[in-house]
Amino acid sequence: MKTVLVVDDKEMMRDSVGSTLQRAGFAVVTAASGPAALTAIASRRPDAVVSDLKMPEMTGTELLERVREIAADLPVVLMTAFGTRS
Amino acid sequence: MTATDLDNPAALSQADLSQLFAAFNDVTVKLQDTHEKLTGEVARLQGELRRANDELERSRRLAALGEMAAGIAHEIRNPLASLGLYAEMLEADLPQGREHEVASKIVCAVHGLDAVVNDVLTFSREMRPEPVLQSSEDVFACAIDSCRDVLGGVPIAIDGDVPIEADSTLLQQALVNLIRNAADAVLEVEAGERSIKLDARQTVTADGDTAVALAVGDTGPGIPDEVRERMFNPFFTTRAAGTGLGLAIVHRIVDAHGGAVRVVNRPATPKDSGGATIEILLPQTTAQPVKADPRSAA
């Protein structure tokens, strides 16, 4: 079973997105922040990362940059509620 | 007349005086003329300044509104997304019946709220069009595709094909909003009388400039004068559902392209059952677009 790491500072988002992915047949691990996500990736590399864009401490974009340094080919999906590219 | 004559006014002849008065009158008329022209120019410049200040103030307000809307949208959309996902899970889990129906209603309401947030974001967002050359027929066809859900069985026809230079996404959005409005308007007449016509042609604006007119005409009851005056105001709506931002968004998009919106009520004739037509007027382009090849459509 493929594993997806869901990263969001909001518990409800982690739970709802995680549950939806579980229903779609994925194993789900969660992290509440960018640094926690990097620790999780270093400990056990998931098959994909789904992360919120706006998070305190480390934004989704910053997380993506850090992930690229340690796992260049790991797919990362960034979610945003802003609905704009800027 | 000589300098000696002026030193001794008594020496001025009648002819000299007439000449003097004529010259004086001439100068007075010219001064008056110049004064009027200057007064007119000052008034025009004051008007321009007032409009520029109004526009600046409006831009500032919209920028502040945009910032606020983006912040609110983020705060609303995250829990809304969760709400939608939970409701969809419930909908999938529950057997058909009253509870399933309730879950479906929650899913529907969430989609509606998301559309409201989208409208507010679109309206308040700074618009920077990225114009590309395209064919009006292609733009119309794409807009119709995006409105299939609301058109039902209403016949919709496309007439005319002209090149347009406009931002594809924004123009699509404007046309989709107009078509959706037209689809709502025709619901007020008998089913057999319902139709929508999309028409593209070259035209002349009130200022005498040539323009491209993209018209969305419906066979609805027409638009009352009191509604016409306010229909582009944000949050003005005549419908129970709707944000009242659809036409305001159209206006902003067209404005951002340097165009104008024209609203016409068509009286009934033997060939036309009457209704309303809303035209988007865009500055004309002389270039020709490459038409979309229907065979290459995915």
Side-chain angles (χ1 to χ4, degrees):
Chain A
M1 189 185 284
K2 303 279 185 190
T3 305
V4 180
L5 170 62
V6 176
V7 191
D8 203 304
D9 58 312
K10 293 182 180 65
E11 195 277 330
M12 193 163 68
M13 280 303 285
R14 290 198 302 275
D15 182 57
S16 57
V17 173
S19 301
T20 305
L21 287 169
Q22 277 172 344
R23 284 164 166 257
F26 296 99
V28 172
V29 286
T30 60
S33 68
L38 290 170
T39 305
I41 293 168
S43 147
R44 188 174 175 188
R45 184 184 147 133
D47 296 290
V49 177
V50 175
S51 172
D52 187 21
L53 194 61
K54 189 192 170 205
M55 293 184 290
E57 208 174 344
M58 184 186 285
T59 66
T61 316
E62 286 164 348
L63 172 63
L64 172 64
E65 284 166 4
R66 296 290 298 277
V67 168
R68 283 287 161 268
E69 289 168 12
I70 57 170
D73 57 342
L74 178 60
V76 177
V77 179
L78 293 178
M79 304 181 291
T80 175
F82 283 113
T84 62
R85 281 171 290 181
S86 54
Chain B
M1 196 187 318
T2 65
T4 315
D5 293 335
L6 285 171
D7 291 341
N8 181 10
L12 287 174
S13 68
Q14 189 66 34
D16 287 338
L17 278 174
S18 296
Q19 196 184 347
L20 189 63
F21 282 129
F24 180 76
N25 281 342
D26 192 37
V27 168
T28 307
V29 167
K30 279 181 181 163
L31 273 173
Q32 180 71 22
D33 192 38
T34 306
H35 176 74
E36 279 170 11
K37 277 183 185 159
L38 281 173
T39 307
E41 187 61 9
V42 167
R44 190 186 67 78
L45 288 172
Q46 279 176 334
E48 263 182 30
L49 187 64
R50 200 167 43 244
R51 277 191 294 277
N53 279 335
D54 287 350
E55 190 56 37
L56 188 66
E57 182 55 32
R58 190 167 153 259
S59 297
R60 280 184 186 146
R61 273 204 312 270
L62 281 174
L65 177 67
E67 214 168 290
M68 191 181 74
I72 292 173
H74 186 261
E75 294 309 312
I76 290 177
R77 268 188 165 173
N78 268 333
L80 200 60
S82 291
L83 202 63
L85 289 171
Y86 287 134
E88 280 170 17
M89 284 183 228
L90 271 179
E91 195 183 26
D93 288 348
L94 291 167
Q96 288 295 328
R98 177 65 189 149
E99 286 170 339
H100 181 275
E101 205 179 292
V102 170
S104 299
K105 282 181 178 173
I106 296 172
V107 171
C108 238
V110 168
H111 289 163
L113 279 172
D114 197 46
V116 172
V117 175
N118 266 336
D119 270 1
V120 172
L121 271 177
T122 307
F123 176 73
S124 53
R125 185 178 298 160
E126 189 183 357
M127 286 187 190
R128 289 183 190 153
E130 293 173 14
V132 291
L133 193 60
Q134 54 210 306
S135 127
S136 64
E137 205 171 45
D138 292 343
V139 177
F140 280 155
C142 285
I144 293 172
D145 273 346
S146 303
C147 298
R148 292 275 176 219
D149 59 322
V150 293
L151 283 171
V154 177
I156 182 161
I158 297 177
D159 194 18
D161 188 15
V162 291
I164 314 162
E165 205 161 13
D167 185 296
S168 278
T169 312
L170 291 176
L171 185 58
Q172 280 287 330
Q173 171 131 35
L175 285 169
V176 164
N177 288 3
L178 291 184
I179 294 169
R180 285 177 181 270
N181 260 51
D184 275 337
V186 295
L187 290 179
E188 293 180 40
V189 296
E190 295 295 321
E193 293 174 10
R194 294 173 191 165
S195 72
I196 296 171
K197 187 179 172 188
L198 309 183
D199 177 65
R201 65 195 157 74
Q202 285 165 348
T203 188
V204 178
T205 66
D207 298 332
D209 299 323
T210 50
V212 169
L214 302 176
V216 177
D218 63 60
T219 54
I223 303 166
D225 287 345
E226 65 273 17
V227 173
R228 278 175 67 169
E229 283 168 17
R230 301 169 61 199
M231 60 192 277
F232 293 106
N233 289 354
F235 305 110
F236 174 78
T237 182
T238 55
R239 298 200 302 267
T243 56
L245 284 172
L247 289 177
I249 289 170
V250 171
H251 200 273
R252 278 212 73 204
I253 290 172
V254 176
D255 209 30
H257 283 82
V261 185
R262 195 157 61 185
V263 183
V264 181
N265 273 331
R266 306 185 320 277
T269 66
K271 285 186 177 176
D272 182 356
S273 58
T277 297
I278 302 184
E279 284 182 334
I280 291 176
L281 301 172
L282 296 173
Q284 191 177 24
T285 178
T286 49
Q288 288 296 320
V290 177
K291 290 274 290 177
D293 183 354
R295 288 169 300 179
S296 65

